[in-house]
Amino acid sequence: MTKIGMVGIGMMGHGIASNILKHGYPMVLLDHPGNQPLEALIAAGATTTPSAAALAAEVDIIILCVTGTPQVEDVLLRSGGLLEGLKPGAIVIDCSTAIPSSTIRIAESVKKAGGGFLDAPMTRTPKEAAQGRLNLIVGGDPALFERCKPVLECFAENITLAGPVGAGHRLKLLHNFVSLGFSAVLAEAAACAERSEVDPKVFLEILTKGGGDGVVLNRLRPYIESRDGSGFRFTIANALKDMTYYTTMAQESGAMHETAESIRRTYAQALQDGPAQSTVPELITLLAKAQPAATGGDSGVGA
């Protein structure tokens, strides 16, 4: 049976690994200090190795679920990295969020090493990862995609082939710009409502019945109501990373990105002002406490 290797057993990776194991695939995990506890995965049949090259030499498909572009490049290209041990015909599936221009270069390196490559970034949260209900946006060769689809279906509910290599990461960044942008706008509005002594229940009622309703409002609602951020465990640090990747992609393509840059600065300031592991819902509290920078010029209302 196809043997799976996994690099990056964080909150998302743990859910992915557990669901692949439930479907009976043999699995090797890369030992790393940043992993979540591995006891349950080992009890389900997974083995571990401290060597990326040794992992690559043992498996048929390698799934990457690491923080971002620097980590993807490092684990693949470093001395003793995955490419050093890659089996001929093995496939690398990058489920991380990454800069598309780097993804294309990585795919070429994998191809030169005799392997195949798909970028398959995820949307949704660790809750859906644990349930096997992630969304995947895949870039790569259609035939290679079909070969890997049975494995992807172990942990994903909706899988879209977006186009050639890099298309998955381009669309993931577009998605996250919209999602994180909405989150920042809603957080700023909620912070303003709090400082203006607007009843949060009334605030939520008005948004729900109007143009503010949607997935982002439902994710942030528990925090606005009772400071419960458990349903949206996405860190501000990761939000800043994704917004930085988006503005990099926009710059490289010559696209307008002034709004994105403003949102990126909001997350950058929040990361500076708050605890290291603050999550996106906590942006509301950080913005409510923040003092806005002084601005000059006409503040009159125009048509």
Side-chain angles (χ1 to χ4, degrees):
M1 192 173 188
T2 301
K3 194 169 190 177
I4 311 297
M6 274 205 66
V7 178
I9 310 299
M11 288 190 294
M12 301 294 280
H14 198 283
I16 291 172
S18 65
N19 280 288
I20 292 173
L21 286 164
K22 285 176 187 176
H23 284 78
Y25 287 93
M27 177 174 285
V28 183
L29 311 173
L30 182 67
D31 260 330
H32 189 274
N35 285 342
Q36 294 286 305
L38 301 180
E39 287 82 357
L41 300 179
I42 293 170
T47 61
T48 64
T49 177
S51 166
L55 180 148
E58 192 177 344
V59 302
D60 306 296
I61 294 177
I62 302 166
I63 297 175
L64 308 180
C65 192
V66 297
T67 303
T69 292
Q71 292 77 21
V72 172
E73 293 178 347
D74 178 64
V75 76
L76 279 161
L77 304 177
R78 72 186 181 214
S79 175
L82 294 171
L83 289 191
E84 200 168 284
L86 195 70
K87 291 165 55 176
I91 302 165
V92 176
I93 303 176
D94 183 12
C95 290
S96 313
T97 301
I99 299 170
S101 55
S102 171
T103 298
I104 292 169
R105 292 193 297 270
I106 287 288
E108 284 298 316
S109 297
V110 172
K111 184 178 178 181
K112 288 178 182 176
F117 181 91
L118 297 174
D119 50 302
M122 310 163 283
T123 65
R124 293 187 169 172
T125 70
K127 177 182 176 181
E128 287 83 19
Q131 295 170 341
R133 297 180 51 247
L134 290 172
N135 296 331
L136 294 181
I137 314 165
V138 184
D141 176 73
L144 188 62
F145 168 70
E146 289 298 329
R147 282 176 56 194
C148 296
K149 200 170 180 181
V151 175
L152 302 179
E153 288 174 336
C154 293
F155 60 92
E157 182 176 43
N158 301 299
I159 306 172
T160 303
L161 180 61
V165 166
H169 280 145
R170 290 189 185 98
L171 278 160
K172 171 63 185 291
L173 294 178
L174 288 162
H175 170 277
N176 277 22
F177 168 42
V178 173
S179 176
L180 294 170
F182 285 179
S183 297
V185 168
L186 178 55
E188 190 169 292
C192 181
E194 183 178 321
R195 291 189 57 151
S196 302
E197 300 182 350
V198 171
D199 186 328
K201 292 182 180 178
V202 178
F203 173 70
L204 289 166
E205 179 183 353
I206 296 303
L207 290 181
T208 301
K209 292 179 178 178
D213 197 17
V215 172
V216 171
L217 180 64
N218 288 331
R219 284 180 177 173
L220 293 180
R221 175 188 291 273
Y223 193 84
I224 295 170
E225 289 176 328
S226 61
R227 290 302 188 256
D228 176 9
S230 61
F232 193 5
R233 294 184 296 158
F234 194 78
T235 66
I236 288 173
N238 273 334
L240 175 59
K241 179 226 0 147
D242 288 2
M243 288 304 308
T244 301
Y245 286 3
Y246 176 82
T247 55
T248 298
M249 180 179 76
Q251 288 170 349
E252 290 178 349
S253 65
M256 296 286 287
H257 55 280
E258 281 77 5
T259 300
E261 181 56 35
S262 178
I263 293 165
R264 192 198 67 80
R265 287 197 301 269
T266 295
Y267 285 113
Q269 187 63 51
L271 185 62
Q272 181 177 316
D273 293 344
Q277 291 304 309
S278 295
T279 59
V280 170
E282 293 173 277
L283 182 62
I284 296 169
T285 298
L286 294 170
L287 291 175
K289 293 178 179 177
Q291 295 298 321
T295 58
D298 183 14
S299 60
V301 178

